[in-house]
Amino acid sequence: MQSRFRSDRRLTVRMGITLFLLGLLYVGFVAALIALLKSWVLVVVIVALVFGAQYWFSDRIALFAMRGRIVERDEYPELHGVVDRLAAMADMPKPVVAVSEMEMPNAFATGRNPDNAVVCVTTGLLRRLEPAELEGVLAHELSHVAHKDVAVITVASFLGVIAGLIVRFAFYSQLFGGRRDQNTMAVLAVVMGVSAAVYALSFLLIRALSRYRELAADRAAALLTGRPSALAAALTKVTGDIARIPTKDLRTAQAFNAFYFTPAFGSEPGLGKFFATHPSLEQRLDQLGRISAELGEATAPGNA
């Protein structure tokens, strides 16, 4: 079913290119695994099991990792009300609503398709945002579900995760595996090299896609609600408040930055912005400012 979120052809093209390029990496990666395990059947079984687990249970994994729990309407009636209204406006299935007991103000969406999606907000976010700002954030997350880029990021992340695990396995097996002949050492070296290359390339591809999909979600949310200034105000408020959260409280969250409304950085990442999962706050506010002008919105972004 097509939602009323404005489609984004450039996002669709980028998702297709990312998945195609990552698919090409599978050839060398699977070949390296077969060389290590010496059984293509075993490789296929392992890859299928891990991929299936990540695809089918990604929402549960993310909720568990971020201490989120599914909440009913009687617990959070206002939150459910906003999600109900946005789902009706967008003409899409209502996602499952969850809340994470975290001080960090943030939100994320996960799930393999619009019929099996979860939108989760932290209690820190609920305490900080005004109703219009919360609506903007939730519209942003629902657009990720409608555009199906949550599922693409989940699938795209799979190869990098497995490649990283293989590098660690090969490294520690060299350290603690005892003496090996030259052939075995050569195979391990090739596996480590291929896996490291796959991890690096997938890392860059996923982050390039992630930065664009955040801009696409901001744009779609602003156009659906008609209030880009409210989303801009939420972005400014959440980004500033995250900078004041102790770094130790952000470490767990940073592993899921690609899924979050705004990245869990306690301070500006410096040169790391070139490998960031999100565009800069300035880029996002500039885009919302242009949309506000196009819509003739009376209130400028950041002053809502």
Side-chain angles (χ1 to χ4, degrees):
M1 181 177 67
Q2 183 68 39
S3 76
R4 291 197 184 106
F5 276 108
R6 183 172 295 186
S7 61
D8 192 314
R9 184 177 179 184
R10 287 179 294 178
L11 175 61
T12 302
V13 170
R14 281 170 168 79
M15 289 192 296
I17 292 173
T18 299
L19 289 176
F20 174 74
L21 293 176
L22 287 172
L24 293 179
L25 291 178
Y26 269 89
V27 177
F29 184 66
V30 171
L33 280 180
I34 293 173
L36 175 64
L37 300 176
K38 294 180 170 49
S39 171
W40 69 267
V41 174
L42 181 58
V43 170
V44 170
V45 170
I46 292 174
V47 170
L49 287 176
V50 177
F51 177 81
Q54 185 170 9
Y55 182 74
W56 289 98
F57 303 111
S58 60
D59 52 347
R60 300 180 192 180
I61 294 170
L63 283 178
F64 176 79
M66 299 315 301
R67 304 197 298 274
R69 64 181 181 87
I70 296 172
V71 296
E72 301 300 331
R73 185 180 299 276
D74 57 351
E75 292 183 85
Y76 288 88
E78 294 180 2
L79 176 60
H80 270 272
V82 175
V83 176
D84 281 334
R85 184 168 63 254
L86 288 171
M89 289 170 60
D91 192 21
M92 62 183 291
K94 179 186 176 181
V96 172
V97 179
V99 171
S100 172
E101 299 286 341
M102 296 183 68
E103 180 61 22
M104 178 190 69
N106 227 320
F108 67 90
T110 185
R112 59 187 182 275
N113 56 49
D115 292 315
N116 297 275
V118 178
V119 172
C120 181
V121 297
T122 67
T123 52
L125 185 80
L126 293 174
R127 283 195 295 270
R128 286 170 170 84
L129 297 189
E130 299 297 325
E133 297 167 349
L134 178 62
E135 181 182 68
V137 172
L138 290 172
H140 171 104
E141 296 305 328
L142 285 180
S143 76
H144 282 315
V145 175
H147 289 154
K148 300 182 176 64
D149 56 78
V150 169
V152 171
I153 284 291
T154 299
V155 173
S157 300
F158 162 74
L159 184 58
V161 169
I162 297 302
L165 291 175
I166 291 296
V167 170
R168 293 179 188 176
F169 170 76
F171 176 74
Y172 286 115
S173 67
Q174 278 188 299
L175 288 180
F176 305 112
R179 299 182 64 181
R180 289 188 173 88
D181 58 42
Q182 285 189 326
N183 289 337
T184 302
M185 294 300 293
V187 169
L188 283 173
V190 171
V191 168
M192 287 186 68
V194 172
S195 298
V198 168
Y199 179 80
L201 290 172
S202 61
F203 179 94
L204 295 174
L205 287 171
I206 290 167
R207 274 151 182 74
L209 173 61
S210 182
R211 289 193 295 273
Y212 184 84
R213 86 182 188 111
E214 293 302 327
L215 290 173
D218 284 347
R219 183 164 52 249
L223 292 173
L224 180 73
T225 63
R227 290 200 280 188
S229 63
L231 180 56
L235 269 169
T236 302
K237 186 181 293 185
V238 168
T239 302
D241 285 353
I242 283 181
R244 291 190 284 272
I245 300 293
T247 302
K248 64 183 178 63
D249 295 334
L250 300 177
R251 287 173 183 163
T252 301
Q254 286 175 2
F256 291 87
N257 266 344
F259 292 90
Y260 274 126
F261 170 64
T262 191
F265 284 119
S267 59
E268 286 295 320
L271 291 177
K273 65 185 179 181
F274 297 108
F275 306 104
T277 55
H278 291 62
S280 68
L281 177 62
E282 290 74 19
Q283 284 179 283
R284 298 176 79 172
L285 294 181
D286 284 347
Q287 175 180 250
L288 291 171
R290 291 193 298 271
I291 296 173
S292 182
E294 291 171 5
L295 296 178
E297 193 181 31
T299 305
N303 300 319

